[in-house]
Amino acid sequence: MRTTHWIGGKPWHGVAERTGDVYDPATGQVAGQVDFATTAVVDEAVAAAREAFTRWRAASLAQRTNVLFAFRELLNARRADLAAIITAEHGKVLSDAAGEIQRGLENVEFACGIPQQLKGGYSENASTQVDVYSLRQPLGVVGVISPFNFPAMVPLWFVPNAIACGNTVVLKPSEKDPSAANFLAELFAEAGLPDGVCNVVHGDKEAVDRILEHPRVKAVSFVGSTPIARYVYQTGARHGKRVQALGGAKNHMVVLPDADLDLAADAAVSAGFGSAGERCMAISAVVAVDPVGDELVAKISERMAALHVGDGRRPGCEMGPLVTGAHRDRVTAYLDAGRAAGAQLVVDGRNHPVDGEQGGFWLGPTLFDHVDTDMSVYTDEIFGPVLSVLRVPSYDAAVELVNANPWGNGTAIFTNDGGAARRYQHEIEVGMVGVNVPIPVPVSYYSFGGWKDSLFGDAHAYGPEGVNFFVRSKVVTSRWPDPSYGGVNLGFPQNR
Ligand code: NAD
């Protein structure tokens, strides 16, 4: 199967100079090729988006929201088809793929209510016979660059809001699982979105660099690893663009001695191994406050043994393979590195039974105990099914440990003490906090964003901050002349 770009409302018809392999991670087989965009192809997409912008920015709010409501219905009806596409290229199990679509749909629903978000202000008689009012207008062509781990949800964080605000889009999804983006673009076309409003280009650094440098691209929303997020932010800003670049993570779950340890163990396993740990909000570090360590580790290990790992299309599978063989090998190398550094390998994922073909990119759930903050299993974002337990003597030591970490995407505290939870939410330097909730991804009418090295830029993604990112404001001061205007006056205008 060949996946190509979607430009101006139709598939691209050129011959690609470069392509990449797309795998079925559950079999390890190459399932198809994806075309990589050159600078010229990105230019073609930006030109289509720029041309469409003139008309789309003038489309009424009713026309825009009609498209979004239709898109919402189509996506809802076809969610099983999209989930199958995601599982085939990413590897996550079907129920998890359906979950990411559901969260994506919530962002579409938010965008359906865009008229409420785009209301400006109006001040009658700011000065005598003078009114002042503000407008929220689109930016123009915006770039969206997304990671492999949420091939539908992350594009849906940005594209619906961007177009609802009147922008046109060039989306560059991950080259590892490119097909979901085309599925969404085709669905938008079916929903009545005019040609050129949503374009998809595939590829790697060459395509990204052109989006970052193109003078017609006014803003870039990026999600991916921290080094690339930092690069995208700096390069885009250097070229005069508005940029929001969401990066990687190391998410801590602090378990206090008074917590319900069964609830905490369930949460650690769900949030550590869901999607094989390939989530930016996955829990990768459990911080056990004395004396709960031994009991918590025992409860977590017991639950891990029961996990059904295998081909995400097979019934009952809870955790699929990793996205590529290279990524699986990189993650697996941490098992030896952690042990060599002195951590205790309590559960070795290489021994976990697998319900899938031998060539798949498998690694079962893995647990380290007695991890220290200087070990690579802790300092690096592993992005796989590897959970580390760190032990600390007190609540204060737990807070100090979490705040010293360079990332600040998500965190959770497990406790039955409301006062401790309230203190934690106040003191912790992390953008999204869960209280007895391990993956605190905000609902679509709040905004999503980490602190520190987990986000570069001012605006968080989606929700009200996401809308702010996609509009610029204009303030109009207006007078309808009447005889009282007073004639020539060279003084600086004053309000009377
Ligand atoms: P990645 O950084 O490798 O790739 C992200 C995007 O950048 C892709 O579209 C890719 O093609 C492009 N890219 C890769 N290398 C590039 C380069 N050198 N120059 C320009 N562009 C480049 O990330 P990934 O492996 O696809 O996704 C996993 C990462 O994303 C993890 O670090 C995860 O924590 C992070 N992530 C963060 C969030 C968040 O909201 N903070 C959400 C999802 C994923």
Side-chain angles (χ1 to χ4, degrees), residues 144-150 153-154 157-158 172-177 203-209 212 222-229 231-232 245-251 278-281 323 327 381 383 407 409 432 448-450 454-455 461:
V144 175
I145 301 161
S146 56
F148 82 83
N149 67 320
F150 284 109
M153 183 184 77
V154 169
W157 281 0
F158 301 108
K172 207 300 285 173
S174 170
E175 64 277 33
K176 295 190 179 112
D177 44 13
D204 56 3
K205 180 172 167 54
E206 185 176 350
V208 171
D209 283 346
L212 295 176
F222 172 90
V223 180
S225 58
T226 288
I228 310 299
Y231 166 78
V232 164
L246 285 73
K250 194 83 188 177
N251 304 311
E278 292 172 325
R279 289 181 185 145
C280 67
M281 290 291 274
V323 69
H327 186 53
E381 183 187 33
F383 221 56
W407 283 295
N409 214 39
M432 293 171 282
F448 180 108
S454 294
L455 186 142

Side-chain angles (χ1 to χ4, degrees), residues 20-308:
D21 289 336
V22 179
Y23 292 91
D24 177 342
T27 65
Q29 300 294 313
V30 173
Q33 265 76 39
V34 56
D35 290 352
F36 281 10
T38 56
T39 296
V41 172
V42 174
D43 286 357
E44 221 180 289
V46 174
R50 175 61 218 176
E51 201 196 322
F53 177 63
T54 310
R55 280 189 307 280
W56 184 244
R57 78 183 288 271
S60 68
L61 290 172
Q63 286 165 349
R64 290 188 218 155
T65 51
N66 274 342
V67 171
L68 285 159
F69 274 109
F71 177 74
R72 193 262 169 213
E73 291 308 301
L74 288 169
L75 185 54
N76 189 36
R78 312 261 178 87
R79 59 167 89 202
D81 300 341
L82 180 55
I85 289 170
I86 295 170
T87 296
E89 293 185 353
H90 176 285
K92 64 177 73 174
V93 299
L94 279 172
S95 56
D96 195 33
E100 91 160 81
I101 297 167
Q102 180 57 36
R103 294 305 292 247
L105 265 169
E106 290 171 14
N107 286 283
V108 180
E109 288 159 4
F110 178 83
C112 288
I114 203 74
Q116 180 68 16
Q117 301 291 326
L118 292 185
K119 287 198 291 200
Y122 196 106
S123 301
E124 185 188 34
N125 274 336
S127 185
T128 309
Q129 300 286 334
V130 172
D131 304 326
V132 179
Y133 48 97
S134 62
L135 311 175
R136 283 157 72 73
Q137 298 193 327
L139 307 174
V141 179
V142 302
V144 175
I145 301 161
S146 56
F148 82 83
N149 67 320
F150 284 109
M153 183 184 77
V154 169
L156 291 170
W157 281 0
F158 301 108
V159 178
N161 280 331
I163 63 178
C165 291
N167 301 284
T168 56
V169 173
V170 175
L171 166 65
K172 207 300 285 173
S174 170
E175 64 277 33
K176 295 190 179 112
D177 44 13
S179 301
N182 284 37
F183 183 91
L184 294 175
E186 287 175 39
L187 227 51
F188 267 123
E190 205 177 322
L193 191 71
D195 294 349
V197 176
C198 178
N199 306 277
V200 181
V201 295
H202 295 286
D204 56 3
K205 180 172 167 54
E206 185 176 350
V208 171
D209 283 346
R210 185 56 185 154
I211 291 171
L212 295 176
E213 289 163 7
H214 199 299
R216 288 285 200 190
V217 175
K218 299 300 173 199
V220 174
S221 298
F222 172 90
V223 180
S225 58
T226 288
I228 310 299
R230 187 182 281 116
Y231 166 78
V232 164
Y233 179 70
Q234 291 174 345
T235 311
R238 205 165 48 245
H239 288 87
K241 298 181 200 329
R242 203 178 267 202
V243 185
Q244 52 179 182
L246 285 73
K250 194 83 188 177
N251 304 311
H252 300 77
M253 171 174 157
V254 173
V255 183
L256 296 188
D258 72 321
D260 176 334
L261 290 192
D262 286 310
L263 178 75
D266 284 346
V269 171
S270 308
F273 304 116
S275 198
E278 292 172 325
R279 289 181 185 145
C280 67
M281 290 291 274
I283 292 294
S284 50
V286 172
V287 183
V289 178
D290 287 344
V292 297
D294 287 346
E295 197 182 343
L296 186 61
V297 167
K299 285 180 184 290
I300 291 174
S301 319
E302 189 188 307
R303 284 159 172 78
M304 286 168 66
L307 290 180
H308 187 172

